[in-house]
Structures are given as structure tokens and as C-alpha cells.
Amino acid sequence: PEMQRSVTERMSLGNELRRAVERQELELHYQPIVDLANGHITKAETLLRWNHPERGYIGPDKFIPVAEDLGLMSKIGDWVFYQAAAMAKNLMEKRGPDLRDNPVQITINKSPRQFFTGNTHETWVGYLHQQGIPCESICIEITESLLMNDRPEVLQKLLKFHEAGIQLSLDDFGIGYSAMGYLKHFDIDYLKIDSSFVRGMEREPSDHAIVEAIIVMAHKLNIKVVAEGIETEQQRALLIEAGCDYGQGYLFSRPVPGNQFIDLVIR
Ligand code: C2E
Ligand code: MG
Ligand code: MG
């Protein structure tokens, strides 16, 4: 009965999700990423939300796997990109010419399966050029499992993004295989230290040591570091002491709708 229930639940979620895309129930929220040296918002991560008419907000961990199984993720992923690009352009215009060279970078999550089909590396880059949006104002967050993958076309696509000037960030670093070899082969711009290490830093000397080591290693490889899930002042202080570049977490801001994010940046 338990399995039956979970299969039925997934099927109904799937059917509703197909409609959700048409009915525009998906929303993109923005979580600020701050420069730890001065507290300025320099980036934001886009995070998908499904605003379900009866169930309220449903988180991405729950519906993205369903979307992937149904083959809906490339359509949703494109939508995320066009929203992100529009936000980058909007901010660029609102902040005026003085800050042109210093754009607020919008990061988007892209799961491995979104690299298997389609040619987003061409359409996305083409769109940015056509709209006059600098490619540097978009960053793609990937996970380690993508780099472990041996499909040559995936790596080719990553390279194309990077050559165009779109930056790459390695998400949830430290909890996967952490096979360091790929840091040498791929031009990664940022490592995002997984929130589990940040959470443990205050009490667990081993978590603290791992965070420090990741930062030193990344810097030697010319990679900047973002710490995820910062919730306390003490975590922020320890990360600054360890030389971490950027921070993201509830201490600074929760993910917020686009209009609220603009207010945070422009105020
Ligand atoms: P992620 O990319 O690692 O995103 C960070 C997650 O940590 C987000 O969860 C965010 O809301 C949460 N978070 C941020 N700061 C804090 C904090 O201080 N404390 C705590 N406890 N949590 C914090 P969320 O929004 O539920 O997203 C979960 C995952 O879903 C993301 O993990 C990402 O892998 C995936 N995801 C979200 N949006 C997209 C998308 O547009 N496309 C794809 N492919 N995946 C997405
Ligand atoms: Mg992410
Ligand atoms: Mg993460």
C-alpha cells in the first residue's frame, strides 16, 4: 500500500506539473550571494518554486526529479534561463552605466540530464548576444556528477559555455566523489562549499579544517569560493577568517521573489 501510494502521488504530481508549466505556476526566486569582504550583493542564485493552487509552495527537490522523468526539464530549464537573463538585463539598466562593468551575476542550476539533449550552449549564448547582455552576468551551477560523466558531448557543451564567457560554478562541493583531477581539466570559476560543512564549522574541528583546506586549494587553482547555508554570525566570521570569497544563506537573505530581489539590490 505504501508503494502504491507513492506511485499514485508521483503520477498525479506529474500530471499537475504538465499543466503547471502552461498555467505559469512555476516561479523563480532569487537568493542573494554577498561578497564577504564588504557585504555587497554581487550575485544571486535562482531557485525554482512551484506555487501550487491547492498545496501551496512545493520545493524543487520534490518536483524536479518528476519533471526530469517526464522529459519536462529542458523546457523548464529554458524558462529559468530566459527569466534569469531578463533579470540580469533589468538590473543592468536599473543600476545605470557606472555599474555596467560590475554586473550582478545571476546563477542558474543545471542538472546533468539537462546537458544530455538539446543545444542550449548555442541558443542561450546567441540570445545573450542578441539582447546585449554580457555573458559574464550569467553563471551555471553544475554538480560533480556531471564532470564524472564520460559523454564527450557533455564536456564539449560545458567548454562552449565557458568559451563564450558564461562562468561555471561547482555546487555542493565536498559531499560527492570530490575527485580533484577534474578541477585541473575543467575551467571552473567557483566552488560552492556544501552547507553541511558550514553548519558543522562552529562545533566540529574536522568540518572547520575541511572548509579551510577547500578554500586554500581553490585559491591555489585560481578558483573563487562561495559558502552555502550561512545562518549565523559566527559562521560568517569563521569563513571570513578562512579567506572565503562569497557567502549565501539565511543570515543574509532567504530566496525571495524577483521584485523583492530588485529592491534589495537597488536600495
Ligand atoms: P542548491 O543548488 O544547492 O541550492 C541551495 C539550497 O539551499 C536551496 O534549497 C536554498 O533555498 C537552500 N538554502 C539557502 N540558504 C540556506 C540556509 O541558510 N539554510 C538552509 N537550511 N538552507 C538554505 P532549495 O531552493 O530547496 O533547492 C534545492 C535544490 O534544488 C537546489 O540545491 C538545486 O540543486 C535544485 N534546484 C533549484 N532550482 C533549480 C533549477 O532551476 N534547476 C535545476 N536543475 N535544479 C534546481
Ligand atoms: Mg545551486
Ligand atoms: Mg548547493
Side-chain angles (χ1 to χ4, degrees):
E2 185 61 34
M3 278 171 74
Q4 182 63 42
R5 186 140 28 94
S6 114
V7 169
T8 316
E9 157 82 12
R10 223 175 143 87
M11 269 173 60
S12 79
L13 206 63
N15 288 330
E16 289 174 343
L17 192 54
R18 280 187 215 278
R19 264 172 296 159
V21 178
E22 261 82 65
R23 293 184 185 169
Q24 307 186 335
E25 290 167 13
L26 294 184
E27 287 179 13
L28 206 54
H29 286 198
Y30 298 79
Q31 186 175 34
I33 298 174
V34 306
D35 184 336
L36 285 174
N38 54 27
H40 295 166
I41 298 174
T42 55
K43 307 174 190 300
E45 176 172 13
T46 55
L47 294 159
L48 264 172
R49 302 287 179 259
W50 177 5
N51 191 359
H52 192 285
E54 285 113 45
R55 303 189 211 199
Y57 278 111
I58 302 178
D61 286 334
K62 190 132 188 222
F63 71 84
I64 286 179
V66 180
E68 294 203 313
D69 285 350
L70 292 175
L72 292 172
M73 208 47 216
S74 75
K75 190 172 171 190
I76 297 175
D78 274 341
W79 178 81
V80 167
F81 166 75
Y82 291 114
Q83 295 282 310
M87 175 60 86
K89 187 168 187 185
N90 193 350
L91 287 175
M92 198 169 81
E93 285 162 0
K94 282 208 160 69
R95 292 168 86 224
D98 314 351
L99 293 165
R100 275 276 147 92
D101 298 336
N102 215 350
V104 174
Q105 189 179 56
I106 308 294
T107 80
I108 55 186
N109 291 285
K110 204 164 181 225
S111 57
R113 273 216 239 167
Q114 292 176 258
F115 280 91
F116 295 168
T117 54
N119 288 318
T120 53
H121 56 292
E122 285 164 10
T123 49
W124 291 10
V125 170
Y127 182 78
L128 294 175
H129 286 159
Q130 179 217 328
Q131 292 286 314
I133 304 167
C135 286
E136 291 70 22
S137 53
I138 299 290
C139 175
I140 298 177
E141 296 196 5
I142 56 172
T143 49
E144 289 176 276
S145 56
L146 183 69
L147 302 181
M148 309 282 294
N149 173 296
D150 51 11
R151 302 185 185 210
E153 75 274 19
V154 169
L155 308 177
Q156 213 47 44
K157 288 176 185 176
L158 266 185
L159 210 68
K160 287 274 161 56
F161 276 122
H162 206 259
E163 278 168 8
I166 291 183
Q167 293 200 301
L168 297 176
S169 186
L170 197 50
D171 207 353
D172 305 334
F173 190 75
I175 55 164
Y177 299 96
S178 301
M180 306 300 168
Y182 56 56
L183 294 179
K184 202 171 64 177
H185 300 302
F186 303 100
D187 276 322
I188 298 290
D189 300 284
Y190 305 96
L191 283 188
K192 294 190 84 171
I193 302 181
D194 189 71
S195 56
S196 56
F197 300 109
V198 174
R199 213 174 304 129
M201 268 186 104
E202 287 158 299
R203 273 172 301 275
E204 278 289 330
S206 57
D207 281 324
H208 193 191
I210 289 171
V211 168
E212 286 181 321
I214 292 176
I215 295 169
V216 170
M217 176 192 69
H219 285 170
K220 293 215 166 182
L221 293 166
N222 255 326
I223 299 173
K224 299 265 191 222
V225 183
V226 184
E228 293 193 275
I230 305 178
E231 294 186 354
T232 69
E233 277 298 342
Q234 199 192 346
Q235 288 163 357
R236 167 164 62 179
L238 289 172
L239 285 160
I240 290 175
E241 199 179 273
C244 188
D245 305 285
Y246 301 97
Q248 174 182 0
Y250 296 167
L251 177 67
F252 309 107
S253 170
R254 289 187 174 251
V256 295
N259 52 351
Q260 282 181 40
F261 174 65
I262 292 173
D263 288 345
L264 288 174
V265 173
I266 305 295
R267 74 177 168 200

